[in-house]
Amino acid sequence: LRFIPYVTRLAGSANPENERVPCMHDPEYIAAEQAKISTTCAQAAPYSPPAYTLGDENYLLRSEFECCHSEHSIAAFRDWLRAGYGVIGALNEEWGTDYADFDAIEPITLQEAAQNTASFAPWIDHKLFMDTAFAVMHEIDAGFVKAQDPDTKVGWDGFLGYNWKMGYDFAKLTANLELNETYIGNFLQGELYQSFKRDDALTGKWGNNIADVEEGWHAFPWACLLAGDNSAWWWTSWGCDYIPFNPDLSISNMGRWFFEALDETRSGPGKLLLDAGREESPIAVLYSHRDLFASALMNEIAEGRWWSGDGRFLNTHRAVLRALIDAGYQATHLTYDDVVEGRLSPEETRVLILPLATCVSDDMARALRSYVEAGGTLIVDGRAGLLSGQGRIRDSRPLDELLGVASPAGMDALLGEPATGQATIGGAIGDVPVGLEAFDTTVLEPGISLTSGVALGEVGGAPVCVVNELGEGRTILLNVPIEPFNNQRVDAGVKPVQELLVSAVEAAGVEPPATVTRADGLRPLAVGTVQFGDGPVRYLAVQQDILVRGVGEQPLRITLPEPSVVYDIRAGKRVGEGRVSEWQASIDRGWPLVYALLPYEVTGVQADVPAQAAAGSTVEVAATVDVSAGRAGTHVVRMDVFAPGGDSAHREYSQNILCERGAGFAAIPFALSDAKGAWRLVFRDVASGVTAERALTLE
């Protein structure tokens, strides 16, 4: 066991004056943080912790009030605005105010913002500032840690539920922090830190009560690994629930199930997949806290509308991701700044999705137009661009020409009532035909009309799916909510909004790494596909969502775009004969499927081990993977070392050997006290299951 010191906790409340307690801009608070962290880390550093956490369940604010209106924060806010706007005139234009200078600015509350009729920018800007301050405070504390232990990783773990007050801008909270860890039940948080994490980050998830019965515990380490994590975390070791050890220190059933799965992932597959790297689909989803705050504001001024409330915004994000994952894709995220600053190209991102993107600046609109004209596909779900990038109410919509529609604007549009009805979809997106039988739906904006776009369906005269070709690319306006997919995942039959999303993605030339269906040709329920890649070698994983219980075993048909030599990594055996492009399998929540897709057969494993060695010496061994044609790619060979008469592998000496171009080396540091006699070394190619055994006599 290696410990991760818990050196502080960043969590705040607020008083009736809307001052955060503690104030993150108060010099006395920062000095107290430095003193506390410096003492703790000076004590911990000699024990070489793999990382330090700045707190479990951190948050900016949990209170009926807001934050932070203290004198220290207001001064910092004014400086932040000076840096962002440059001159007071630019701020006044966006805010709809007439401040003489920045020193006159005071932050406002949500209730005050809701009274505005021209701009919500004063409130949204302050919320963006506080998100930034929350991330910066983590970085300041991380600096105090690294002053005592310079080469360590520092970050956060176990964030709580996501809402507009929590300060959880994951792009900012991962940029300079190398420990990112959430609860596995917080699906969206995990997807977000995976999009923005540093390459050197330690990432993982608490299993908590999601890893529940045997199937949950068996799936949990795999769920972390297949998401791209390099660690899995246990929530507690004491009490009466979810404990790995019984009171007498024997291993509980939950511990046994977990350690079985963890041992399996650590005995080669983890090294194999993480070294290969997870391959994301060229699909991005816009991540913008501007839109989160706009949705929260809508709940104040238009409570009860379908699209009002930050929960709707976040649930729409969850639905977009889940609809794509269940269709075999793995999307990533781009921030508002990524788009505005030109970090968007159709070569890397074939499809960009804007869920409830209320805040669109002129610069962003121009960047999106350039992206589409160059060949990108833009998918928008409605209500896009009702506000400027900072939150000013627009009198015209900046994406209308791009989407091929004319949309209502102004306060009336912002507060507009949605409509309901039945939609029938027919036609094509590019070369992909789309046909959906009548389904009940909400129309986000009944007032939209067509200009250059082509409607594939309508409700009461309002278009619900509009396709517009522009330059080398196209746009698709889905004037319907995507959020309901969250509750449809395990329903039988076709999910219309998912089919529209998938058709748009297919029309952009994006295909999943494999086609996974049931016997009836429909998609399995809550089953995703992810591919890891390393040169000509690929690894395909198929998993049922660990968060979805009660689906039961599902027979599958798996089809590859091109035939490969296929091995079932977990079973350690070949799938079919020769190169195969299709096979049948079965999946349930507790048993993810992992396959190696190779351009050759693995014909053997060679191991170079000396016949004898002296106790206390370090023995060097070599492993080579033989293949049927050409040169082997990167493989991992698991070396299990057994002491004389032992039937359990030696924990410290057994290891994974990375074999680049099929060859690798390892060292066994035998102790003077190790048992003399014949030691047994078993070498197993993790991808194929092919093994070799050698003996070494320790003298």
Side-chain angles (χ1 to χ4, degrees), residues 348-506:
E348 295 182 358
T349 304
R350 296 294 306 150
V351 178
L352 175 64
I353 303 173
L354 272 57
L356 291 181
T358 310
C359 300
V360 176
S361 69
D362 292 342
D363 287 342
M364 183 178 183
R366 284 189 287 269
L368 292 174
R369 183 181 185 92
S370 296
Y371 164 73
V372 173
E373 289 178 339
T377 292
L378 178 69
I379 303 174
V380 180
D381 67 347
R383 297 187 58 79
L386 282 163
L387 304 179
S388 72
Q390 302 307 116
R392 174 175 43 82
I393 300 173
R394 286 185 171 276
D395 54 16
S396 63
R397 303 280 285 276
L399 298 183
D400 273 5
E401 185 179 354
L402 187 58
L403 298 174
V405 298
S407 306
M411 180 62 83
D412 289 342
L414 198 69
L415 303 179
E417 291 275 6
T420 58
Q422 278 203 333
T424 301
I425 303 295
I429 302 176
D431 296 330
V432 177
V434 184
L436 294 170
E437 296 181 356
F439 61 94
D440 295 327
T441 188
T442 296
V443 182
L444 291 175
E445 295 191 83
I448 287 178
S449 60
L450 297 175
T451 54
S452 60
V454 176
L456 305 189
E458 63 177 37
V459 172
V464 296
C465 181
V466 180
V467 180
N468 193 41
E469 306 286 339
L470 187 68
E472 299 297 318
R474 69 173 58 90
T475 63
I476 298 96
L477 170 62
L478 301 179
N479 193 15
V480 296
I482 301 173
E483 183 194 9
F485 180 78
N486 288 320
N487 296 323
Q488 299 169 353
R489 295 182 72 199
V490 295
D491 292 345
V494 172
K495 288 83 172 175
V497 172
Q498 182 188 36
E499 293 306 315
L500 291 173
L501 279 172
V502 171
S503 296
V505 168
E506 289 178 347

Side-chain angles (χ1 to χ4, degrees), residues 567-584:
Y567 293 92
D568 184 331
I569 291 177
R570 298 192 67 182
K573 64 180 183 181
R574 184 85 170 264
V575 175
E577 297 181 1
R579 294 176 178 266
V580 300
S581 57
E582 184 175 293
W583 67 96
Q584 295 182 340

